[in-house]
Structure formats: structure tokens, C-alpha cells
Amino acid sequence: MITRKGQVTRDRILAAAAALFYEHGVAGTSTEDVQAAAGISASQLYHYFADKRSLTRAVVDYQADAILGFQEPMLARLDSLDALRSWAAAIVDIQRGNGFRGGCPLGSLASELAESDSAAREDVAAGYRRWHDAIRAGLSDLRDRGGLVDGADVDQLATALLTSLQGGLLLAKVLRDGEIGRASCRERV
């Protein structure tokens, strides 16, 4: 069991690694970079993470938790198509605040890890499934409140929204144009 102080240190390591991976990629970030950013020693890093691979997998979970922590409350309150559009706009606004650099934290990790680390790819896939499920649950509630037609396939709609969102965020990142990200979701909702 990790002590409260230990949890704070572990969380600081994860936050530092997540920021560095987002900015420089996993391959472009060394464990020494993480140590310096977190203000910890090598022994502290390896006390919580056996190696860079286990740190990377923990960062995938950290990013999925951050995404869902922000979005689940909005998705849980979907009561209209306007609320659904507001959810999509909030995501685009975050990217605008980043100058459309970096893209989706989970998408960036997916792009880098999918072909090189099968366990990390599975972790990313689990993060996407959690995200999809949160969107689907919100859409299901919206349908139950009369905001969607009774026969709406919320599973397919959730897949389409997540796919459009990810593609829109990628294009917004490359083109540095928020209208692309906003349009990718606006046309779906």
C-alpha cells in the first residue's frame, strides 16, 4: 500500500511524464527528463515504476482518467442537442487554448504506441472504450429524455462522434485550425 506522501510523489511523477510525453512524445522523453521535471531521484522513479514501459502504461491510464474526469460530468447531463454541442465545443476550446498543438493526449499516445507496444496499445484501447462508453451513456440518457429519436442506435452514434472528434482534433492539430475540430462534431450532432 502506498502512503499518502508516496501517492503524492507517484502522482507528481505521472503528471510530469504525461506533460513531457504530450510535448515530446514517449520516444523523445527520457527517464532522466521525467526525474528532472518531477524533481525526484532515479530511485524514487523506479520505486513506483519498474521501467519506462510501466511508466508509459501508467501515463496512458492517467490521460484516459483526465479526459473522462473532465468529460463524464458533461456527458452525464446531456438533456438536449445543445448540451451535446456544448460538450463538443468544450473539447475544441481546450485545444484552442493549446494553440491546437499536441492534439488529443490519448490520440497522441495511440499514434506513437499502437505499433510498437502491444500492451500499451491495449491500454489505449481500454481508454477509448471507456470514453466511448461515457459518450454512449450520455446519448442513451439523451434518447431516454426525448432528445433523440426512440430508435437511435446510441452505440453507433457514440462511435461516430468519437471517430469524428478524433479525426477533427488530428486535423486541427496539423492545420492549426479550430474550425475543423468544431465542424467535425457539429455536423454529427
Side-chain angles (χ1 to χ4, degrees), residues 55-65 106 109 113 120 123-124 127:
L55 175 61
T56 300
R57 293 186 67 196
V59 166
V60 170
D61 290 339
Y62 175 90
Q63 292 291 27
D65 288 345
L106 197 57
L109 287 166
L113 299 171
D123 294 337
V124 172

Side-chain angles (χ1 to χ4, degrees), residues 131-186:
W131 196 354
H132 178 274
D133 290 348
I135 296 168
R136 183 181 62 216
L139 291 172
S140 181
D141 289 346
L142 179 59
R143 182 188 59 202
D144 293 348
R145 292 178 179 131
L148 296 173
V149 296
D150 287 338
D153 185 334
V154 293
D155 193 57
Q156 284 188 349
L157 285 172
T159 299
L161 278 172
L162 185 55
T163 302
S164 292
L165 177 65
Q166 285 297 289
L169 291 175
L170 178 61
L171 286 174
K173 173 184 172 179
V174 172
L175 300 173
R176 304 282 195 253
D177 181 357
E179 188 56 34
I180 303 255
R182 188 172 33 253
S184 69
C185 288
R186 183 177 51 227

Side-chain angles (χ1 to χ4, degrees), residues 19-98:
L20 290 168
F21 289 179
Y22 186 67
E23 186 175 340
H24 304 290
V26 175
T29 303
S30 69
T31 55
E32 291 80 11
D33 295 332
V34 175
Q35 290 168 38
I40 53 136
S41 66
S43 63
Q44 286 176 298
L45 177 68
Y46 292 112
H47 174 76
Y48 297 103
F49 304 98
D51 52 23
K52 185 176 178 185
R53 186 170 188 245
S54 66
L55 175 61
T56 300
R57 293 186 67 196
V59 166
V60 170
D61 290 339
Y62 175 90
Q63 292 291 27
D65 288 345
I67 288 167
L68 275 277
F70 171 72
Q71 293 183 30
E72 277 180 325
M74 287 185 284
L75 291 166
R77 293 189 309 266
L78 293 183
D79 58 2
S80 66
L81 288 179
D82 283 341
L84 185 59
R85 288 182 184 104
S86 292
W87 160 75
I91 296 166
V92 174
D93 288 345
I94 289 171
Q95 292 304 311
R96 179 177 290 106
N98 293 336

